[in-house]
Amino acid sequence: MSLLDTPLIPTLTRALDLTSQRQTLVSQNIANVDTPGYHTRDIDFRQELQRALPDDEAVAAGPFVREVPGLIERPDGNNVSIDRESLLMAQNQLQFQTEIQLLHSEFNRLQLAINGGSGQ
Amino acid sequence: MSLFSLFQISGSALTAERLRAEVATSNLANSETTRTPEGGPYRRRMVLFQSQPGARFHLLLANSLGETSATVTGGVEADQVVDDPTPPLLRYEPGHPDADPSGYVAYPAINPVQEMVDLMGAERAYELNASAVQAAKQMIQQSLQILK
């Protein structure tokens, strides 16, 4: 642990990684909205974050990607729900923004400490 | 795995959906075409979509061992355009230059409603993928905020 490592920074880094990986999956699902036989894929964000936090190996291996159960399948075998994916995309985007803001404010706090509390 | 791979994924879908729209438009445009370079009436075309291999085990393993840096994107590809095997529609028009000896002209079996629905589907899917690109762009811009 270096001087500039606060407890929050690794957590936020992992969370940002996972959020962008989730966005990749959402994009994949949206890209395959017309592919016959394609099944929606996703990750369990909370579970993956808990798994990735203490363990660097788990981060290197990447998250478990699973097929989402309980979606209605069309006759061509595709079960991508446009509503689910659009909402998830919006939610994921806001989550990403939140994590970026938190990381930014964490760096601002460090800056404050470096300057001895005399502003930036 | 980076945010930039989102552009590849959504980009592949934009290409595929545009091809689908082009094929539907070409079907509509040729709904009365009785002469083609291959001979006979125009045949209705269809696009086959296939998902690109996503995160496959061997790719991930090779990547984590540092052997390759193969991209593990899972977009969509539509490289195959196939002919619809439905036989052409025969209409009795004895005066037509392309009529067969018994006076029937073979017209392509194209249903305009089906083509319009396909066109609308392609358009909506294109829109959806374009907004996914927009989202990716915004996320990259937001991550630049950390530097400020």
Side-chain angles (χ1 to χ4, degrees):
Chain A
M1 180 146 176
S2 83
L3 190 66
L4 294 182
D5 256 353
T6 69
L8 250 182
I9 289 175
T11 314
L12 284 171
T13 316
R14 299 277 150 83
L16 276 169
D17 273 346
L18 276 176
T19 313
S20 61
Q21 274 160 4
R22 198 167 193 204
Q23 187 71 15
T24 312
L25 287 170
V26 173
S27 288
Q28 273 177 30
N29 291 338
I30 291 178
N32 284 293
V33 71
D34 285 318
T35 310
Y38 181 86
H39 285 112
T40 308
R41 297 184 199 142
D42 198 3
I43 53 175
D44 187 333
F45 186 85
R46 188 179 303 221
Q47 203 180 325
E48 291 301 328
L49 190 60
Q50 275 171 359
R51 197 169 69 89
L53 275 181
D55 188 3
D56 284 331
E57 292 273 312
V59 178
F64 287 129
V65 178
R66 59 189 172 78
E67 288 190 355
V68 180
L71 291 172
I72 297 168
E73 200 169 286
R74 297 202 308 250
D76 65 356
N78 184 311
N79 72 354
V80 177
S81 156
I82 294 180
D83 303 332
R84 178 189 183 274
E85 302 308 323
S86 319
L87 287 173
L88 199 58
M89 188 166 77
Q91 184 203 323
N92 222 30
Q93 230 177 323
L94 287 173
Q95 196 178 331
F96 192 84
Q97 196 174 357
T98 313
E99 287 154 10
I100 292 282
Q101 294 285 339
L102 283 171
L103 198 58
H104 196 208
S105 61
E106 194 68 8
F107 283 132
N108 275 346
R109 269 197 287 280
L110 277 174
Q111 181 98 48
L112 202 65
I114 290 166
N115 292 337
S118 61
Q120 292 187 25
Chain B
M1 176 82 79
S2 79
L3 272 176
F4 290 101
S5 70
L6 291 175
F7 288 130
Q8 281 173 31
I9 296 170
S10 298
S12 73
L14 290 178
T15 316
E17 296 295 345
R18 199 174 50 226
L19 180 68
R20 190 171 145 215
E22 276 170 16
V23 167
T25 320
S26 144
N27 285 342
L28 274 175
N30 285 293
S31 59
E32 301 286 326
T33 304
T34 53
R35 288 178 191 177
T36 53
E38 305 90 54
Y42 175 87
R43 300 202 78 100
R44 177 173 179 266
R45 298 211 176 95
M46 294 181 293
V47 186
L48 295 187
F49 278 17
Q50 197 190 356
S51 59
Q52 285 167 352
R56 288 278 165 79
F57 178 74
H58 66 275
L59 272 179
L60 284 174
L61 186 66
N63 274 348
S64 65
L65 295 176
E67 281 172 2
T68 70
S69 56
T71 47
V72 281
T73 62
V76 65
E77 56 191 352
D79 53 351
Q80 230 184 329
V81 181
V82 294
D83 283 350
D84 188 340
T86 316
L89 297 173
L90 297 176
R91 277 191 231 155
Y92 186 64
E93 285 175 21
H96 197 286
D98 291 325
D100 62 7
S102 49
Y104 283 96
V105 183
Y107 280 98
I110 286 169
N111 180 358
V113 177
Q114 194 183 350
E115 301 306 329
M116 283 312 290
V117 168
D118 222 27
L119 197 58
M120 277 161 67
E123 203 184 319
R124 293 285 167 266
Y126 193 90
E127 267 177 41
L128 191 63
N129 280 291
S131 56
V133 173
Q134 204 70 32
K137 226 171 80 182
Q138 237 176 54
M139 280 168 80
I140 292 170
Q141 266 168 1
Q142 279 164 4
S143 57
L144 291 176
Q145 295 280 319
I146 308 179
L147 297 172
K148 285 185 187 162

